[in-house]
Structure formats: C-alpha cells, structure tokens
Amino acid sequence: MYNFVPKGCEALKEIFPKIIGNTELCERLARSLLSENPDLPHAYIIEGAYGTGKRTLALELSKALVCENRTNPDAPALPCGECRSCRNVSKGICPDVIEIGTDGKASVGVESIRDLRRDIHIYPNDLDRKIYIINDAHTMTAQAQNALLLTLEEPPAYAFILLLCENSALLLETIKSRAPIIRMKPLSPEDTERAMLISDPSLESKKRSDPALFDDVIMSANGSPGLAADLLSGKEAERIAEMRRASEKFCILAADKSKNAQLLIHVTEVCTSAREVAKEQLESFSLAVRDLILLKRDSDAPLRFFSDRERATDLSDSFSLRRLLLIADALLEAVSALERNMNTRLTLISMLSNIGMLN
Ligand SMILES: [Zn+2]
C-alpha cells in the first residue's frame, strides 16, 4: 500500500509529469517510491531504443528520490520540479547526481567504471543520496562490466545506479541479474509530438512553418521523440519527406489499374539507385500499405505511416483487401530479395509482375 498521492496528481499515473506515455512503468515506479517502506532496488537497467526518453526518466527518477517535497502530500507532483534539489538536478549542477558516458569514444571504458567505484564510497555532498547514471551502458566493454559487478552487488546504502541501454542483450548476465530492467516503450505519434515539444518548445515554430514535414518526421521516427528531433534538425528530414511522398504516390497509382505504366515509371525512378536506398523505399511502401490493410479491418487502427486518417481511409477504400494483401506480400518478397543481394532491377520487375502491373 502506498502512503499518499501528491495533491497535484489525480492518480499514480500522473506522478512523473515529464514522462510521456509509459503509464504502466510510471505507475510501478511511483508505487515503489511512495510505498510505506520504499522498496526500490539499488540499481535499475533502463532499456529502450535511441531517443525514447531513457535519460529523461533517469533524471526524473533521480529528482523523485532527492526531491525536498517527496514526503509532502501537498506537493504539486513527484518530483515537484520546484525545490532546490529538483532544480539542481535539472540544471545538471547537483554534485550527487553523476553522469557517466562514452565521452565521445565508441564505448564506456573500464577507467570510467573504476572512477565510479572510487567515488561511490565518498559520502554524498549535499543530499542523502548519491545517484550514478551510466549513459550508453550497452557499449560498456566486458572489462568495464566486470569492474562494475562488485559495486552492483553491494553498493553503499545511499547509492543508486541507473544503467541506460539500447539493448540489454549486450550486458553480461551477471549484470542483469543484479538490476531489474525497466523497458521504455516506443510512443504513439501523438505522444512523440508531445514529448518533442515538451523537451524543446522551440520546435513549435518548425511545426508551424512546415506542418507536413513535421508530421512526416514524427511518423518516420517509430515512436522515438529523440530521433524525430534529430531528423528534424538535419538534412535527413527532406529525404524522408520525399520518400514518404513517393510511397503515397505508389499507393495512389497502385489503386488504379489504368495507371500501370505510370506506376512502373514511378517505382523504377525512386528505387533505381543504390540497393540500400531501394530497400528503404520499398520498406516505406510496405508501411503505407500496412496502414491501408489495417484500415480495412478497423477504422480506428493506430497508423504508422499516414498522419491524415481521412485521406488514408479514402485511399484504403479504393483497394480490395485481397489486392492490398497481394501488394504487401510482393513488397516483402522484394525487400527480402534485396537483403539477399539480388539484382535491384530484376527484383523490381519481378515485384511489379507479382502485383499484376506488367500484364
Ligand atoms: Zn522537488
């Protein structure tokens, strides 16, 4: 049983106001933090794809542990975000919340872990906790992981260690057995947008200046607000937007048998360059076709390609389900042929013939 829910929150799931999505996970952590006998372990592995909010969660969890209002039922939330400790962690100037990372190298090396091992036995400066956040923990060398084992086994009572990793399969079993894994889920497109705008409000102006490109990037980021923000800031955004336009055109042409010739030209035009480019474009076609298939079955299905549901529904209505499934199969087969290094042009011809475009 937990003690209380801060006044500013209606329910446990509103704890961690900065974490978007991942409701179950936040509820679980909140329950542990607010229980009569807080039962947090000494360490967690936070696993999730690039840009899904692992570091944000690590910082929010750190704040919740050191927040001066953590036992105050009248607090606006947990963490409150307003007390000195919360503010210092946010600004990165809290001496007792220590971040470790690759420092621009390919991996987190053993030296960084040895530094941690020495430092962890020095009492906290300012707080009653000392928290270590190891970024890119999946890149730790085997030597670094082995060096961390003993510390994970018996850290000082005030210490708390968070290992942030994209893939826990890269961690030694002995590390995983000493720290429970928290998995961050990819966000829905709506939540991706919300998380992006919360972490960087200046993106609002980019959204206003080119809403279509903004939507394209969000739909391409597979639920990762960090990746979406990266895409939006680089040249990559224009390439993705182009690829998506090409995929929508593919669907429009494929829906109309009289447009066979145009479809043939379109596919060979957008897929002829390097094999990797062709493969990526075919995968983008597949994602669009997948949405159209889902819409045949459920008009509220979550979409991963089309940001305009009405437009996608119209497009889906112009196909039979059978035809969409046929196209989806042909696309999958073509992608797998390219993965096997088959000739790009021959693969495309065989794909178009499979969907009846060459007769
Ligand atoms: Zn606070």
Side-chain angles (χ1 to χ4, degrees), residues 67-69 79-83 86:
C67 175
E68 287 153 30
N69 283 312
C80 77
E82 293 167 1
C83 69
C86 278

Side-chain angles (χ1 to χ4, degrees), residues 77 152 171 228 232 284 321 347:
L152 274 183
L171 297 176
L232 207 56
S284 172
L321 178 60
T347 301

Side-chain angles (χ1 to χ4, degrees), residues 152-223:
L152 274 183
E153 183 114 288
E154 272 184 273
Y158 52 75
F160 187 61
I161 303 171
L162 293 165
L163 293 113
L164 276 44
C165 76
E166 286 174 21
N167 181 359
S168 62
L170 297 169
L171 297 176
L172 298 175
E173 286 304 322
T174 40
I175 294 266
K176 283 188 276 188
S177 66
R178 284 164 175 80
I181 301 184
I182 299 176
R183 291 198 170 83
M184 305 286 294
K185 292 202 178 121
L187 301 181
S188 67
E190 296 74 23
D191 281 346
T192 305
E193 174 172 338
R194 211 148 62 86
M196 265 172 90
L197 295 176
I198 288 178
S199 73
D200 184 0
S202 75
L203 292 173
E204 187 73 51
S205 67
K206 282 206 174 180
K207 186 186 168 184
R208 272 198 306 271
S209 68
D210 193 343
L213 179 65
F214 195 85
D215 280 348
D216 278 350
V217 161
I218 286 191
M219 298 305 280
S220 303
N222 289 329

Side-chain angles (χ1 to χ4, degrees), residues 9 19 33 35 39 61 86 89 112 114 123 130 133 142 181 212 231 249 258 270 312 328:
C9 303
I19 306 296
L33 276 165
S35 66
D39 57 356
L61 195 51
C86 278
V89 175
S112 307
R114 286 193 187 129
Y123 268 92
K130 206 162 176 180
I133 299 173
I181 301 184
L231 292 175
K249 187 170 172 191
S258 72
V270 294

Side-chain angles (χ1 to χ4, degrees), residues 279-319:
K279 193 177 136 241
E280 211 183 336
Q281 183 67 66
L282 291 179
E283 282 167 344
S284 172
F285 290 170
S286 285
L287 212 55
V289 171
R290 173 194 165 277
D291 274 4
L292 301 183
I293 292 174
L294 287 180
L295 283 172
K296 283 267 180 223
R297 292 172 173 157
D298 173 9
S299 58
D300 293 323
L303 303 183
R304 282 181 56 201
F305 181 87
F306 290 95
S307 48
D308 184 340
R309 182 172 294 269
E310 220 173 297
R311 202 174 152 73
T313 307
D314 285 348
L315 200 49
S316 173
D317 288 345
S318 58
F319 286 92

